[in-house]
Amino acid sequence: MKITIQAPREGEEEEIIIRAGSISPHTFALIEALGGKSSGRLVGYVGECMEILQTELIFYFEAVDNRVFAYCDSEVYEVKQKLYEIEELLCNDNFFRASKSTVLNISKIKRIAPLFNGRFEALLKNGEKTVISRQYVSVLKQKLGI
Amino acid sequence: MNFLKSFIRNTAYITTGSLLVSAVMVTFFSGLDSIKSVILWQNLLLGLICGFVSALLFPENNMPKLESPLRHAVHFLLMTAIVMLCGYLFGWYYLSLPSVLLMLGSVAVVYAFVYFSTAMQYRDIANKINKELEERDDD
């Protein structure tokens, strides 16, 4: 692997660009070491393939049988982080804990409707529906500034 | 903590509904000019029991969506059974058909009161959130 270090021009921010056809485990480890997760991006796995996920394209994360999946418009990726780690990682973005097993992207919610006993059903922009538990409605309200 | 909040909220709604129905029953059906103060404690006790059972039956989390209608049916039957039992022990009605029917009607009225009060509260929350979501989308 060729490593090039260039001094930025005056006034320019320091930047690291990785030029790679696909992300190998070594490259991924390097991204993680450089704080790649904190840049608001996560790595999603589909079989053996890895892809850096753009969080703004993710509708929600769901924990199923101790595995966590990121649901985009039509693609589903497995992520290695636990749900609570994703919640912490993306707490400053549009994401919030919607139930014990889901973390939801507010910008992907079309509208919500009340269900029985304080729970709400969120209709997402891709037509999917997911439940917001009563205890997390206050988190959503807080995020929306209500 | 969530259980406690749920318990307090349910107790408040049920006690209010129960007091309203008691007031109507005493005023229009009992033929009495005054009531004993114990009826207020009986209402509160009934509210506490029903509030506790409701909080148990509707936990904050882990309530599968498909179970909701069945859970509500069970909840209504349980509430009816508790009120009928307590009402009988408190001497609120007699074992005659008109008296039992009146009591069952009262349970239905209180249940409907609590159900629609909470439904309106949640609809209001949903409207506020939807308005905010729409404004965000417009931006």
Side-chain angles (χ1 to χ4, degrees):
Chain A
M1 186 194 293
K2 193 171 89 174
I3 297 173
T4 309
I5 300 173
Q6 287 180 343
R9 288 186 196 134
E10 201 176 310
E12 269 187 351
E13 198 182 339
E14 288 188 336
E15 182 183 22
I16 295 167
I17 299 169
I18 296 171
R19 296 165 71 91
S22 64
I23 301 166
S24 67
H26 284 106
T27 314
F28 176 52
L30 182 66
I31 293 168
E32 280 201 316
L34 290 167
K37 278 197 288 187
S38 62
S39 67
R41 292 183 176 207
L42 290 160
V43 174
Y45 297 80
V46 182
E48 294 297 309
C49 299
M50 286 190 282
E51 205 171 305
I52 291 184
L53 303 177
Q54 288 180 273
T55 53
E56 61 270 23
L57 298 180
I58 298 168
F59 281 69
Y60 62 96
F61 294 91
E62 186 176 31
V64 183
D65 297 331
N66 289 324
R67 294 165 76 190
V68 177
F69 297 93
Y71 294 81
C72 298
D73 195 15
S74 53
E75 306 81 19
V76 181
Y77 300 92
E78 185 174 358
V79 292
K80 295 300 178 193
Q81 286 79 8
K82 301 283 183 195
L83 208 57
Y84 74 88
E85 291 174 324
I86 288 167
E87 187 186 4
E88 284 171 11
L89 187 67
L90 302 175
C91 66
N92 292 326
D93 293 334
N94 275 324
F95 288 82
F96 75 106
R97 178 64 80 105
S99 71
K100 219 169 183 177
S101 60
T102 55
V103 169
L104 192 55
N105 186 348
I106 295 174
S107 64
K108 297 296 182 188
I109 303 174
K110 193 174 180 185
R111 61 185 151 81
I112 68 159
L115 288 173
F116 293 116
N117 208 45
R119 293 176 317 139
F120 290 82
E121 185 177 66
L123 173 65
L124 306 183
K125 288 176 181 170
N126 64 354
E128 275 191 70
K129 290 176 179 175
T130 185
V131 170
I132 302 172
S133 296
R134 188 168 61 194
Q135 69 188 109
Y136 297 112
V137 174
S138 55
V139 180
L140 174 60
K141 283 168 72 180
Q142 197 181 357
K143 283 239 170 201
L144 290 171
I146 298 172
Chain B
M1 192 61 188
N2 289 322
F3 177 83
L4 189 65
K5 275 164 68 179
S6 177
F7 168 57
I8 292 169
R9 183 172 47 233
N10 285 319
T11 302
Y13 276 124
I14 293 165
T15 307
T16 306
S18 175
L19 272 173
L20 281 172
V21 169
S22 295
V24 171
M25 297 283 273
V26 169
T27 307
F28 298 105
F29 296 102
S30 72
L32 299 171
D33 289 331
S34 61
I35 55 164
K36 291 178 182 174
S37 62
V38 72
I39 199 165
L40 299 173
W41 294 107
Q42 289 170 345
N43 267 297
L44 182 60
L45 179 63
L46 186 65
L48 286 167
I49 296 169
C50 291
F52 183 77
V53 173
S54 298
L56 275 183
L57 208 58
F58 292 100
E60 293 276 333
N61 215 338
N62 280 343
M63 189 165 65
K65 185 179 157 189
L66 290 175
E67 275 187 31
S68 275
L70 177 65
R71 207 179 280 253
H72 262 266
V74 171
H75 182 246
F76 178 70
L77 290 175
L78 261 175
M79 292 298 110
T80 306
I82 291 168
V83 176
M84 292 306 283
L85 180 67
C86 288
Y88 181 71
L89 295 173
F90 296 154
W92 288 357
Y93 70 99
Y94 306 104
L95 286 178
S96 67
L97 188 63
S99 186
V100 169
L101 286 178
L102 197 61
M103 194 66 195
L104 284 171
S106 304
V107 176
V109 167
V110 174
Y111 198 89
F113 168 80
V114 174
Y115 184 86
F116 285 110
S117 298
T118 48
M120 280 173 69
Q121 186 195 345
Y122 295 136
R123 197 181 60 181
D124 185 48
I125 293 170
N127 287 340
K128 280 181 185 167
I129 290 173
N130 285 334
K131 194 180 162 200
E132 199 59 40
L133 289 172
E134 274 175 28
E135 283 174 9
R136 275 177 158 232
D137 272 351
D138 290 343
D139 293 343

